[in-house]
């Protein structure tokens, strides 16, 4: 039964392992701890399982990762069951076990290192409600699409052998030698975990499953069942290694289809295996602090799986697996994986129809991605056409190149644009709109610099605390270079922050421009007084009505649409000057892009913002993503698109 609980096993095992490896290189300490966890954690099978592997001691239990952050776990132990959302059942025994190891982690976690290195200005910006660090300061990074095709072809044993071959070289740096040794350790640990699963299957009287797991992943996958199992297992092991999220499956139909073609398997059996795989992704869970949970509610893992779309050679990639994935989602109707469909000019009409039918079921899947738009967008980076055609969604909606991208395509420091505007508006008595606009750009630039500084502090800490040999070895170039992802192992490295409230800012600027500086219906001081009172009283209500009637983004009105575009451009023009910590260490890019992928954070970010000139009341939600403000678009979806 799927009950959200906390599992103390991983926390206990890694604590004991870290105690025994004090003073050793961190990538080796983490590798040995990973192997210890896989050797000692509970392994179980449930009736009817076709795809196996568990992250914790029970279905939907969340393991605890004390190396990233821990004090909040102890502080909230008695409150997990009282949460209004994303609650967890925590037994008294679990509480006692988690409290016993707390002292060891004091001052040693990723979060401790981040807080010790953030500037006073950064901390003040957080208190203002402008910046929010979220997961990058207290958990693993995640946001990886492995090269599943490579993993399926060589297996975990094959990856270990590649590392062993590198260890024979005489020109290795100590960093490289440590990484290759760590890779051997984690892959051998993964193979031991598989042997434990096989033994469990045999003991439970499941000879076919035991036989399938016998020798599994010593080399490549041998058939369709093994291929699907390997994809799930790689995902699971990355989730055990670190507690990031958005570990995604990439273009599942492209790398799985060859196994379907060569295997003697019926369509019905293939559908059954894919459906079981989908179901099993929902047995995994992650626990977040309550403060962070408000930014991303719903036990989300953002494990995206994409089908359809153009192949690197320019032909269409839709195949039988594309349709089976749609049907598997129709049968399971669970939150994970986050199913997405690519489409373009030559996508079969049937795939569009089947996707639309699934969308009509009302549970929000699949997301739809237009190749002609996404491929062109990827090529604005240093990515060639053939590579750009192979994009996939990493997480909820952000896109990356499977098997070639480093951590974190999106979701670095969150910037509350509406709060930046509120600060801007109230710090001077502007005489013209141009004065206000220039002040906006100056203030945004100041907070953007602080956000980048926060990103660097978190990234540099994660180089140590998220030295993930298993996940890194599934991404191109890491094995070649002998580096983890955070040290520059990936082929490409682009990150983005999460930007919140651009439409609120655009609509507010439009209202001020029209009501104050053009029509002169209000003075700026009158407007500010109304905002400060949250539009209270008769005069406040009158002013709010004027604000609400001002032009609003999303109605095909160039007056305000161009202002919203200016808000986006004011941020985009800041990006080229900023680089990630991996610049000069191997990856292509090492720059910033923009993201409005802010999940549910537009709601809690609104708590920090007073009334705004678009007519929004204090504390109310900001706009979602890049969408118009709530209720502002009144001319239909085509007006929004225009």
């Amino acid at each position: 039964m799927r009950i959200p609980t906390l599992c103390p096993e991983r926390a206990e095992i890694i604590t004991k392992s870290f105690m025994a490896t004090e003073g050793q290189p961190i990538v080796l300490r983490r590798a040995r701890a990973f192997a210890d966890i896989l050797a000692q954690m509970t392994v179980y099978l449930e009736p009817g399982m076709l795809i196996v592997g568990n992250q914790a001691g029970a279905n939907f239990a969340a393991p605890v990762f004390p190396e990233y952050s821990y004090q909040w776990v102890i502080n909230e132990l008695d409150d997990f069951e009282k949460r209004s959302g994303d609650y967890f059942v925590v037994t008294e025994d679990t509480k006692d076990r988690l409290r016993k190891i707390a002292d060891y982690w004091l001052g040693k976690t990723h979060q401790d290192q981040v807080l010790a290195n953030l500037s006073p200005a950064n901390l003040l910006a957080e208190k203002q409600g402008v910046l929010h660090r979220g997961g990058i300061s207290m958990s693993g990074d995640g946001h990886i699409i492995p090269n599943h095709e490579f993993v399926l072809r060589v297996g975990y044993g094959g990856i270990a052998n590649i590392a062993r071959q590198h260890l024979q070289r005489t020109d290795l740096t100590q960093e490289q030698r440590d990484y290759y040794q760590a890779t051997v350790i984690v892959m051998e640990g993964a193979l031991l975990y598989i042997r434990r699963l096989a033994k469990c299957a045999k003991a439970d009287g499941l000879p076919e499953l035991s036989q399938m797991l016998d020798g599994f992943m010593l080399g490549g996958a041998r058939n369709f069942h093994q291929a699907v199992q390997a994809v799930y297992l790689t995902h699971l092991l990355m989730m055990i290694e670190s507690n990031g999220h958005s570990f995604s499956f990439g273009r599942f139909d492209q790398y799985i289809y060859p196994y379907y073609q060569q295997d003697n398997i019926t369509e019905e059996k293939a559908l059954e295996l894919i459906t079981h795989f989908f179901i099993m992704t929902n047995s995994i869970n992650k626990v977040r602090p309550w403060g962070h949970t408000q930014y991303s509610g719903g036990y989300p893992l953002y494990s995206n799986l994409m089908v359809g779309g153009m192949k690197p050679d320019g032909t269409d990639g839709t195949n039988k697996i594309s349709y089976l994935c749609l049907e598997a989602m129709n049968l399971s109707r669970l939150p994970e994986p986050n199913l997405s469909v690519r489409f373009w000019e030559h996508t079969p009409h049937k795939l569009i129809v089947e996707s639309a039918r699934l969308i009509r079921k009302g549970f929000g899947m699949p997301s739809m991605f237009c190749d002609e738009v996404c491929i062109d967008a990827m090529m604005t980076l240093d990515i060639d056409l053939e590579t750009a055609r192979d994009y996939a969604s990493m997480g909820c909606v952000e896109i990356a190149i499977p098997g070639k991208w480093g951590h974190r395509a999106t979701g670095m420091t969150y910037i509350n644009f509406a709060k930046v505007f509120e600060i801007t508006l109230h710090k001077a008595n502007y005489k013209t709109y141009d004065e206000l606009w220039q002040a906006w750009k100056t203030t945004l630039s100041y907070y953007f610099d602080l956000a980048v500084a926060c990103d660097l502090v978190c990234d540099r800490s994660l180089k140590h605390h998220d030295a993930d040999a298993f996940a890194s070895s599934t991404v191109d170039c890491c094995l070649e270079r002998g580096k983890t992802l955070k040290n520059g192992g990936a082929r490409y490295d682009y990150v983005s922050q999460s930007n919140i409230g651009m439409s609120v800012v655009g609509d507010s600027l439009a209202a001020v421009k029209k009501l104050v500086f053009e029509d002169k219906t209000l003075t700026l001081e009158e407007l500010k007084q109304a905002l400060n009172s949250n539009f209270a009283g008769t005069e406040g209500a009158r002013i709010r009505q004027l604000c609400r009637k001002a032009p609003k983004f999303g109605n095909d009105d160039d007056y305000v649409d161009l202002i919203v575009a200016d808000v986006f451009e004011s941020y985009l023009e800041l990006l080229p000057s900023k680089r990630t910590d991996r610049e000069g260490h191997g990856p292509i890019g090492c720059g910033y892009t923009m993201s409005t992928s802010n999940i549910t954070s537009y709601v809690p970010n609104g708590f920090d913002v007073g009334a705004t000139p678009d007519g929004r009341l204090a504390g109310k939600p900001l706009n979602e993503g890049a969408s118009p403000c709530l209720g502002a678009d009144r001319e239909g979806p085509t007006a929004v698109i225009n």
Side-chain angles (χ1 to χ4, degrees):
M1 185 176 179
R2 203 176 102 115
I3 299 174
T5 60
L6 286 192
C7 177
E9 285 187 348
R10 187 194 179 281
E12 292 175 318
I13 297 168
I14 195 172
T15 303
K16 183 178 179 181
S17 181
F18 265 45
M19 285 179 174
T21 58
E22 292 278 3
Q24 296 181 20
I26 188 61
V27 70
L28 289 172
R29 295 185 74 194
R30 287 196 59 82
R32 287 169 179 142
F34 180 65
D36 288 343
I37 292 164
L38 296 180
Q40 299 172 36
M41 66 178 285
T42 298
V43 171
Y44 67 88
L45 274 67
E46 293 183 305
M49 276 186 167
L50 296 177
I51 303 297
V52 298
N54 55 286
Q55 180 198 24
N59 191 321
F60 208 48
V64 177
F65 295 73
E67 69 271 33
Y68 294 105
S69 58
Y70 199 52
Q71 191 56 50
W72 69 268
V73 177
I74 302 303
N75 293 344
E76 297 186 25
L77 276 177
D78 293 325
D79 298 323
F80 282 113
E81 294 187 51
K82 303 173 186 176
R83 289 180 171 188
S84 57
D86 291 16
Y87 77 97
F88 289 86
V89 175
V90 189
T91 67
E92 291 303 316
D93 176 66
T94 294
K95 292 178 185 179
D96 290 342
R97 291 165 67 180
L98 291 173
R99 286 175 177 137
K100 284 179 181 177
I101 63 174
D103 287 348
Y104 176 78
W105 296 104
L106 288 175
K108 297 179 180 178
T109 69
H110 165 51
Q111 185 181 42
D112 291 329
Q113 185 173 340
V114 168
L115 290 175
N117 287 284
L118 283 176
S119 70
N122 270 101
L123 296 173
L124 180 58
E126 291 180 20
K127 289 182 180 179
Q128 287 178 301
V130 178
L131 303 185
H132 176 74
R133 281 176 282 119
I136 63 169
S137 67
M138 59 193 314
S139 74
D141 219 346
H143 295 80
I144 298 173
I145 307 176
N147 185 339
H148 281 292
E149 183 179 0
F150 164 70
V151 176
L152 291 173
R153 176 163 43 85
V154 305
Y156 303 148
I159 294 175
N161 287 335
I162 292 171
R164 290 189 184 99
Q165 290 169 11
H166 280 290
L167 284 169
Q168 300 305 310
R169 292 164 48 191
T170 59
D171 62 339
L172 297 178
T173 65
Q174 191 59 51
E175 176 192 353
Q176 290 173 316
R177 186 166 297 279
D178 291 342
Y179 168 76
Y180 290 129
Q181 289 176 345
T183 299
V184 173
I185 293 169
V186 295
M187 293 303 161
E188 288 182 343
L191 292 171
L192 173 61
Y193 180 77
I194 292 168
R195 291 196 295 273
R196 295 185 67 205
L197 287 172
K199 184 178 180 180
C200 189
K202 186 175 182 179
D204 287 357
L206 301 169
E208 290 185 5
L209 188 56
S210 178
Q211 183 178 3
M212 188 273 287
L213 292 169
D214 184 41
F216 177 56
M217 294 303 281
L218 279 169
R222 300 189 296 268
N223 54 48
F224 184 82
H225 192 172
Q226 282 198 348
V228 176
Q229 172 68 62
V231 171
Y232 169 72
L233 194 60
T234 298
H235 176 75
L236 175 76
L237 292 172
M238 290 192 299
M239 294 290 293
I240 293 172
E241 184 180 37
S242 76
N243 71 334
H245 56 73
S246 299
F247 293 102
S248 295
F249 301 104
R251 304 188 69 185
F252 181 79
D253 56 349
Q254 301 306 297
Y255 57 77
I256 286 293
Y257 185 57
Y259 295 91
Y260 178 79
Q261 286 181 301
Q262 69 190 32
D263 204 355
N264 183 24
I265 186 172
T266 65
E267 181 177 325
E268 291 73 19
K269 184 63 176 178
L271 174 61
E272 184 181 27
L273 287 169
I274 294 172
T275 306
H276 275 246
F277 158 52
F278 281 17
I279 292 170
M280 285 299 293
T281 63
N282 292 272
S283 69
I284 305 170
N285 203 354
K286 174 174 178 172
V287 60
R288 298 171 171 86
W290 176 241
H292 189 196
T293 295
Q294 295 178 82
Y295 283 72
S296 50
Y299 305 104
L301 297 179
Y302 313 113
S303 304
N304 207 291
L305 184 148
M306 185 163 260
V307 300
M310 192 187 304
K311 295 196 292 187
D313 65 4
T315 62
D316 185 65
T318 306
N319 57 47
K320 176 58 71 174
I321 301 300
S322 313
Y323 296 103
L324 291 180
C325 286
L326 289 172
E327 181 56 23
M329 181 54 67
N330 180 48
L331 292 171
S332 62
R333 300 195 187 186
L334 293 168
E336 304 288 339
N338 194 5
L339 183 64
S340 298
V341 173
R342 285 177 49 171
F343 68 95
W344 67 301
E345 181 183 4
H346 297 295
T347 292
H349 184 65
K350 180 182 177 182
L351 185 68
I352 301 296
V353 170
E354 293 302 319
S355 298
R357 284 176 176 164
L358 186 57
I359 290 170
R360 288 184 65 186
K361 302 290 184 179
F363 58 95
M365 294 192 211
S367 300
M368 303 296 290
F369 289 74
C370 177
D371 279 2
E372 285 87 350
V373 173
C374 292
I375 292 169
D376 283 352
M378 294 301 279
M379 290 180 66
T380 63
L381 308 175
D382 294 324
I383 298 174
D384 61 88
L385 175 59
E386 184 175 333
T387 302
R389 285 170 173 167
D390 205 31
Y391 79 88
S393 187
M394 176 197 289
C396 44
V397 296
E398 62 268 35
I399 58 176
I401 305 299
K404 295 179 172 61
W405 213 268
H407 284 291
R408 192 63 67 169
T410 190
M412 298 295 286
T413 303
Y414 285 56
I415 303 178
N416 187 334
F417 273 47
K419 190 67 179 181
V420 174
F421 178 75
E422 182 180 46
I423 292 170
T424 303
L425 184 66
H426 286 84
K427 72 180 181 180
N429 189 19
Y430 304 102
K431 303 301 182 183
T432 66
Y433 178 78
D434 285 342
E435 279 187 19
L436 173 60
W437 177 249
Q438 291 304 317
W440 157 258
K441 293 179 67 175
T442 300
T443 310
L444 178 64
S445 178
Y446 171 76
Y447 284 108
F448 173 65
D449 286 346
L450 289 179
V452 171
C454 180
D455 294 342
L456 287 172
V457 167
C458 294
D459 257 356
R460 287 166 181 165
S461 178
L462 283 169
K463 287 171 70 173
H464 177 87
H465 293 280
D466 203 24
D468 49 357
F470 182 86
S472 294
S473 297
T474 69
V475 176
D476 291 4
C477 300
C478 289
L479 281 169
E480 175 188 338
R481 295 175 186 155
K483 292 183 175 185
T484 61
L485 290 167
K486 279 296 180 187
N487 277 335
R491 180 177 176 185
Y492 297 104
D493 184 88
Y494 290 97
V495 300
S496 64
Q497 298 160 338
S498 286
N499 311 123
I500 308 150
M502 284 71 68
S503 299
V504 171
V505 175
D507 284 357
S508 295
L509 282 166
V512 175
K513 184 179 183 181
K514 183 168 183 58
L515 296 175
V516 175
F517 296 117
E518 291 183 352
D519 295 351
K520 302 187 185 302
T521 306
L522 299 170
T523 67
L524 188 58
E525 189 58 35
E526 287 173 332
L527 177 59
K528 288 181 182 180
Q529 289 177 2
L531 297 177
N532 290 334
S533 71
N534 198 23
F535 298 112
T538 303
E539 180 63 6
R542 181 186 75 84
I543 292 175
R544 185 179 183 223
Q545 282 300 106
L546 292 172
C547 291
R548 287 169 61 85
K549 290 179 180 179
K552 296 289 186 287
F553 171 64
N555 297 290
D556 197 15
D557 182 345
D558 284 350
Y559 183 92
V560 62
D561 291 355
L562 291 174
I563 293 176
V564 173
D566 286 344
V567 173
F568 277 84
E569 289 295 336
S570 68
Y571 179 80
L572 289 170
E573 68 185 23
L574 300 173
L575 300 184
S577 64
K578 303 302 181 184
R579 317 303 295 168
T580 73
D581 199 47
R582 272 79 60 194
E583 185 175 35
H585 296 282
I588 297 169
C590 298
Y592 272 78
T593 60
M594 186 176 190
S595 171
T596 59
S597 172
N598 48 62
I599 323 300
T600 57
S601 63
Y602 67 98
V603 177
N605 270 273
F607 299 160
D608 295 323
V609 182
T612 44
D614 60 338
R616 174 190 149 277
L617 295 173
K620 293 299 182 179
L622 307 179
N623 67 285
E624 181 182 9
S627 301
C629 295
L630 301 176
D633 50 325
R634 299 180 180 276
E635 301 299 322
T638 55
V640 174
I641 294 171
N642 288 337

